[in-house]
Amino acid sequence: MYFDPQQFKITGTYVWYYCICKREVWLLSRGITADQQDSNVDIGRFIHERSYSRDKKEVEINGMKLDILQNNKGRLLVGEIKKSSKYLESARMQILLYLSELEKEGIKAEGVLMVPQEKKRESVLLDEVGRKQLDEAKQGIMEIVCGDFPPPPLRIYYCKSCAYSEMCWA
Ligand code: SF4
């Protein structure tokens, strides 16, 4: 399967899966897409649409869709709304990527991570630690996608709801 690293762009989706399953990163990079009809995706969308809808604006930057939640007192907030706190590390990393992309465009922002169902709210900053984590994740993603084969499947909690489950475990 042909893959051109020069054409490859690290998006929020890759960063998200990098924190959950390295194999999934490779599968996605080859255009083997997950089933978007998965019921978990629908619940996520439902919460996303119903929560914070009054002060939320979706914008697209460098091909990534992100939620700009507030712009109060000169502070721009970039948010990620999740249906549970199960994959907060992935969501945190995703926000760091968004903040970094905005910074490249000259826009300073802060991140906020929300889990409406659990009334949870956590701030995410692109500080020294955040930058280091993001750089490591990006490097790790490039190493995976440049490989000729996907990493072997590792059974994790997420496999139960993963659209690649049949492919990995049939
Ligand atoms: S089924 Fe499990 S191992 Fe396979 S891609 Fe999904 S999460 Fe990864």
Side-chain angles (χ1 to χ4, degrees), residues 21 23-24 27 153-156 158-159 162 164-165 168-169:
C21 172
R23 178 176 170 84
E24 190 146 354
L27 293 172
L154 291 174
R155 206 177 276 281
I156 54 172
Y158 185 78
C159 292
C162 178
Y164 295 119
S165 189
C168 294
W169 305 112

Side-chain angles (χ1 to χ4, degrees), residues 7 11-12 14 16 32 39 51 55 67-68 107 154 157 166:
Q7 299 293 321
T11 63
Y14 284 103
W16 169 267
I32 306 166
S39 60
S51 311
D55 54 2
D67 293 331
I68 301 292
I107 303 165
L154 291 174
Y157 180 82
E166 260 189 49

